Amino acid sequence: MSPEIRSQFPILEQTINGKPLVYFDNAATAQKPLAVLDASRAYYTELNSNVHRGVHYLSRKATDAHEHAREVVAAHFNAPHTHELIFTSGTTDGINLAADTLALSGRIKPGDRVLISGLEHHSNIVPWQMLCQQTGAELDVIPVTDSGEWDLSNIDSLITEKTKIIALNHVSNALGTINPVETVIPKAKAAGALVLLDGAQSAPHMKVDVQALGCDFYVFSGHKTYAPTGIGALWGKEEILNSLPPWRGGGEMIKEVTFEKTTYNDLPFKYEAGTPNIEGAISLAAALQWMQQVGLDTIANHEHELLVQATAAIQEIEGVKIYGTSEHKAGVLSFGIEGIHHYDLGTLIDNMGIAVRTGHHCCQPLMARFGITGTTRASFAIYNTAEEVDTFITALKKAAMMLR
Ligand SMILES: *Cc1c(COP(=O)(O)O)cnc(C)c1O
């Protein structure tokens, strides 16, 4: 990673408790490069106006910029059509959109089945439990192995003609596992099930092509891809989105409203009720373009190098156990140290300027699978350095000594 990349993140220049900030909480949210901060500021200093309604100059310019952002985001994921890309407030919002409209559609019947995996984030569990409650469907779960991978030995009995939707984590936020979705998606298609991929952790770390994946929905959050919070997107296949009912009612999502009857707008506006996060969409496009410029492979390779370095070095610490030991991992190192609570460890290394996440990472069922309440998680981004990994390991050794 070149110093030019790091220098584009002003927030990283600060010190915490007199120590240079080491930001290893990227799986929770990534920092924003100047290209994104500039796009955000330029929107508010030059374009701010409501979209899709006004005839005046600024409204037209803001509308053009918002719709151009949609083109950029759709193209980034190789979506066949730009109007299949719905702006949301993030992954959680996108999954709820899909689950609620599927529940409302009447296509899920009592006794039908919904399949998720043991690696899911709460936001890809709870909306499906709510769908099951509303429809009488039942939830199945792909088990997780000791290495933090899907156990696919019984997958053919988990996917049947009763399975209507399969909602899967693409890359695990808690363990880093890159899941073999390419093995499961063809089985889902053969059984006639819809597939939603939770891309919250794949979008930041790898090239994603929704057509090559063959999924029906892909959702992600902007704030993990170097863009602001409050913006994300759901991509869905046109014919499926067209077959589903509208979700939130309001302005923008309608064609014509009378007190007797309302007709709904076409995609994507059918699913974008109310004034959208215009600046967010524009900044998201800027973030994805910035990632393209850096190079998605460059990002993935750099994070992988840091992961390999950290994984090797952490083994020198007595009593360390790594959770998630798959060969196929994004830049996430989740671990425990025997006899030390993750919260105490996180607090101590915070005093040394190091930001990591501790706890269940919104994956309580996964933590239960391993018989733990949480882990300490270091997660890497393109701006992190090998020196920071050294600082982190030294801090861990110091903290472990103090806490034992
Ligand atoms: C962060 C995350 C989510 C939730 O994303 P929000 O931005 O909080 O909506 C869902 N799934 C995974 C795998 C995540 O990492």
Side-chain angles (χ1 to χ4, degrees), residues 27-29 89-95 119-124 169-174 198-202 219-224 230-231 361-363 377:
T29 202
S89 70
T91 303
T92 305
D93 196 34
I95 297 172
L119 277 173
E120 303 309 322
H121 186 284
H122 295 160
S123 73
N124 202 30
N169 177 282
H170 196 183
V171 173
S172 163
N173 61 302
D198 171 354
Q201 298 294 337
S202 56
V219 295
F220 74 101
S221 297
H223 68 96
K224 293 172 179 174
I231 189 72
H361 316 298
C362 295
C363 295
R377 179 187 72 185

Side-chain angles (χ1 to χ4, degrees), residues 52 66 70 85-87 251-253 268-274 276:
H52 301 138
H66 186 255
R70 193 189 308 276
L85 198 288
I86 317 290
F87 284 120
E252 195 68 53
M253 54 80 72
F269 309 111
K270 171 182 164 187
Y271 289 115
E272 292 181 358

